[in-house]
Structure formats: C-alpha cells, structure tokens
Amino acid sequence: MHRKVILSSISSDSHVWNLIYLQLLLEELNFDVINLGPSVATQDLVKACHRHKPTHLVVSTVNGHGYIKGLEIIRAVRQMNLLKNMNVVIGGKLGVNGVISNEQIQHLHAEGFDGVFVNSTAIEEFRYYMHQGQRVMRVV
Amino acid sequence: MSESKSFYAFVESVAQKKQLIVQPRMGVSDFKKMGQGLRAVSNLPFPVVATITIDSFTRNLELQELDQVLKEGHELNGFPLITYGAESLQELLKTYSRPDLLVQVRHGSPLPYELFKVMVEGGIYFSEGGPLSYCLPYSRVPIEQTLENWTKSLTFLAQYPAAHMESFGGCMLGQLCHPSLLIAVAVLEGLFFKQCGIRDVSLSYAQGTHLTQDLAALRVLQECATQYLEGCNVHRVLYTYMGMYPITPAGARALLKESVRLAKISGVERLVVKTEVESIRIPTFDENINALITAHRIAESKEILSDVTFDLEEYDRIKLQAHSIIHAVLSLDACVGEAIGKALHRGMIDIPYCLHPQNKNQARCGIDARGYLQWISAGNIPLDSKTISPYFGRGFKLSPDGFINMLSFMQRKFDGAA
C-alpha cells in the first residue's frame, strides 16, 4: 500500500516549482502525494491533515518566512490528538537570507518537527529520510 | 496628470520610428525612493514605460498585516498603493519632470478592484494582469470570484478613455508552458478586456526556450490579435525569460540580448527586461536602469537582425493549436468570462504545473532535443493530436532530475556559453 503525504507551502509563499519537484520525487518513492500548492493558510493545512490522514506532512518554502511560519504550523499540528502519529518535516530556505541558525533548527525540532532540511545536501537527506521512513532524524 | 495620455498613441509613435520601448519591473515601499526610481526612468533619453510594482501584501489585500510590517520598519517587495492612497500617488507622479512619461501599475492581484479605484483616482489608467493570469499561478482564489471582481474592475476602468490593459496571460508560471497555450490565454484575456469595454489592449508573451519557436509564436500572436480583437488598439509586449535565470553576469546579459533580438526581429513594440542579478535577488534601481540602457543599445544595433530562420511548420502547429483552444473555449458561452470559467472546470484550459485548486494539472510540457517546448501530455486541452510532437512518447514519465534539467535549461544554456 502506498503511504500518503501532504505536501504544502506556507501562507505567504507563492513559489510553486519546489512543490512540483518534491511531488515528482515523492511519487518516485511510491508515495501518494496530495499537493496543496502555494500560499496555504495554517488552519487549512491542519484541516487537510484531518481530512486525508497522511503518514507524512512535508512543508517546503523558499521565501524566507519558513522559520516563523514553521513554528506556527508545528504548534497547531502538535496540539491535535488525531495527528500525533503523523511525521512532520520542513525544508527549503527558511530564513530571510536563505539560512537559519543551528539554534533555530534545534528550536524547530524541539517544537515537534521530525526533520528539518536546510543545508546544501538537504534534498539527499530528505530523500533518504522519506525512503527509510524514520520517525526522528536530527539534521543540524 | 492629464487623462488624455494615450498608451497606444505612444506605442504607435515609437513603432513608427522602428524603435523598441523598454520597461523595468520596479517597486519599493519607501515613498521617496519610489519617486527616485520613476525619475531615473523618466530621465532616460529613449522610449520607456515606467513601472510601479505593487507589494505582495496589497496584492492579497492583507492590509492589516501590511501596516504591522511597515510599523516594524521592514521594507516591502513593492509599493503599497492602497495604503498610501490616491493623493500620495498624485504627489508621486509630480516627482519627475517628463509629463509624457507613461506609468503602468503592475500588481499580481486576483481581486484588483480596490487597487484600481485608488490607481485611477491617483491618475493612472494603465495596468495589467487578467482573470486567469492573476488567479491561477500564485493565488488560491476561486476563478468565479476572480472573474466577478475583474469584471467590476475593468468595467470601472473602461469609463476612462485612456484606459489600457495588458494581459499577462502570455507569461503563465513564467516557464514550461507551451507557446500555443500562452497565446490562447492572452487572447482570451484580451477578449475579456474587450467585453468589459477596454479598447486599448496589449498581449504579453514570455520568451521561451528557443528563438525560432518564439518567432513562430509571436507571429501567431500578432495574427490572433488582429483577428480576435477587432475594434481595439492592440500591441504585443515581450518578457525577457521569466524562468530560472543565468547566474553569471555574462550569461544573464546574453539572455537579455537574445530577448531583445527576439523582440526586434518579431517587431514586438515593448519589452519588459530582466537584470543581471535576477537569479539572486530583487534588482536595485541602478541595476534596472542599466538593464534598460543595455536593452536599448542592443535594440539599436543592426547586427542582431541577421541570420534568422523561420520555422514554417512550427508556425503552423502553434497556429492550429492556439486557434483550436480559443475556438473551443469561446464556443462554451457568449460571455467570455463565463466561457473561461467553464473551460477551466473542464480542463480545456489547464496550465502545466499550476497548483491552483481548480486547475486540473493534467497537462505537462517539456523541452525536446532541439530546445523547443513540447507537450508531454495535453490533458483535456482541445488539441488536434496531429499537431502534437511525438517527441515525448505515451509512456514518458517525468523524473525529478529530468524536471530540474528542464527548469534550469536556459540557465545552463546561457551560463555554459558565457
């Protein structure tokens, strides 16, 4: 049986090509992908998770607001009892200058992200992570 | 600012001199700086159209969030026109000395009514976009809502004789969309403008992946403009490549040059340029001005007109496809807006790789061995299969790496040659 993934951006990010690429990559790994697309409000993201009950939520964003919006998303998701087994990862360019600090990465983990993929080998690490289906991976 | 300034009259006067109008993208949140930008453009001694690009908060009508961000002292990615208001715009337009300078408001909004009201009250009657091109690529607003708001916006704008509207439909997602679909969307949006009462129209086209294919496409666009938009003044506007841009300055310059060449050979009246830093960040005013100067210089040189081939077969294919889409969509309803909405629901308009919830997203385009854009799959778009290249066979499956290669095709081509 295929595992199901919700793929999404954050509310302020209108970039699409990263989402298309990740969809192709996840399909190659035999995931069923529900691609919510760009500019998704956090509440809509949570609703979609309840509706589709995916094994993974993958948040991809490149406009620099990913750290702040990532915290908002993970807090909203981790509040939900029904979503407590869902793996949640985030990746892309999460800071305004394209980067975030190690402290910020640790903070994202501490708030409940299972994976944070931001450095130059992010795609390889993400592919490996999704392939293995590991629950927790610390990427710092 | 006098209302009698005509966009088309200016375009015509420049075209008669066989010159190319060049235009930047330009917008900052600082009022003074915005004025400086307009002044810098107005001081250029060759044909230009100036731009006020609106920020993304205003585009999405997130005006409270915008206030907050401004209060915190952050800069925006454009000029917050609604927040500043009409009087400020009037002030702004006094900051440069060339009364004949045309200024276009560029905004990206799926719901532009509020913006248009402020824009017109402030003295600008020239804008761009469209109910497909500003709904599907980057917003999640339902098409029905966009069509309603755009109808209201354009009917309002059309009361003013100077009103000019450019369809952004030739730039859907900026890359990897087949020329025939770009042409069809631009023409349909042009017809929508016309039905709303706009008589001065331009149709856009984004530079694709091969000069020869683009030349064929721009000829089709010209013929469609004449055929479908009878009774309107129409010109074409080309956009320098809008996809993944070369990283090296030399590669970026070479791609800009190629787009100027395309504009001049095809006789396009206006070109919206890109700068050398496009792949990295939003350009500064100086970088924008330099790109305009470079584009103008290239346009004036004779050597760029040599060694041109015209692919008649490709022209025929693009023409058949564009007409096929336009006819099929128009046959759905006498009201162009209704027809557009229905066509989207049926997947007859289906923008490749577009993730808008109402876009079927079954159509796919790719780049063939020659560097032409081709259909991988046309989904439900009404195309004669005889006009579709067999390059991507039925069983073709797009891999993630193959996709990245196509996305970066022009970047690699021009950085590699640089």
Side-chain angles (χ1 to χ4, degrees), chain B residues 295-315:
Chain B
H296 171 72
R297 280 196 192 137
I298 299 166
E300 295 290 301
S301 71
K302 296 281 177 281
E303 42 129 1
I304 58 164
L305 296 175
S306 60
D307 296 333
V308 190
T309 50
F310 192 80
D311 186 340
L312 204 57
E313 281 176 27
E314 182 64 8
Y315 159 79

Side-chain angles (χ1 to χ4, degrees), chain A residues 48-110:
Chain A
C49 291
H50 276 123
R51 190 178 329 124
H52 297 288
K53 301 180 181 61
T55 55
H56 293 74
L57 167 63
V58 175
V59 179
S60 170
T61 168
V62 293
N63 77 340
H65 298 156
Y67 174 67
I68 293 163
K69 282 288 169 185
L71 289 174
E72 180 186 301
I73 288 169
I74 198 64
R75 284 168 190 158
V77 166
R78 291 304 180 212
Q79 271 180 15
M80 301 290 167
N81 247 331
L82 287 171
L83 303 176
K84 66 176 190 290
N85 291 324
M86 183 172 72
N87 296 283
V88 188
V89 301
I90 188 167
K93 295 177 189 163
L94 305 188
V96 181
N97 300 316
V99 290
I100 58 172
S101 67
N102 283 343
E103 287 73 29
Q104 286 176 315
I105 293 173
Q106 277 160 5
H107 192 194
L108 288 168
H109 278 297

Side-chain angles (χ1 to χ4, degrees), chain A residues 11-12 14-17 19-21 23-28 35-41 44 65 69 127, chain B residues 57 59 62 65 137-140 173-176 352-355 361 364 397-401 403-404 407:
Chain A
S11 60
S12 63
S14 60
H15 291 84
V16 293
W17 298 113
L19 299 172
I20 299 281
Y21 170 71
Q23 177 170 355
L24 292 169
L25 187 149
L26 288 165
E27 283 171 354
E28 204 179 54
N35 195 340
L36 298 183
S39 312
V40 180
D44 294 336
H65 298 156
K69 282 288 169 185
R127 196 195 298 260
Chain B
F57 288 106
R59 175 200 306 167
E62 294 162 343
E65 211 166 333
Y138 314 110
S139 93
R140 309 180 67 78
L173 260 67
Q175 63 178 332
L176 291 182
Y353 309 109
C354 170
L355 296 170
N361 203 7
R364 288 271 178 272
K397 193 155 174 10
L398 185 58
S399 73
D401 290 346
F403 174 70
I404 288 289
L407 266 186

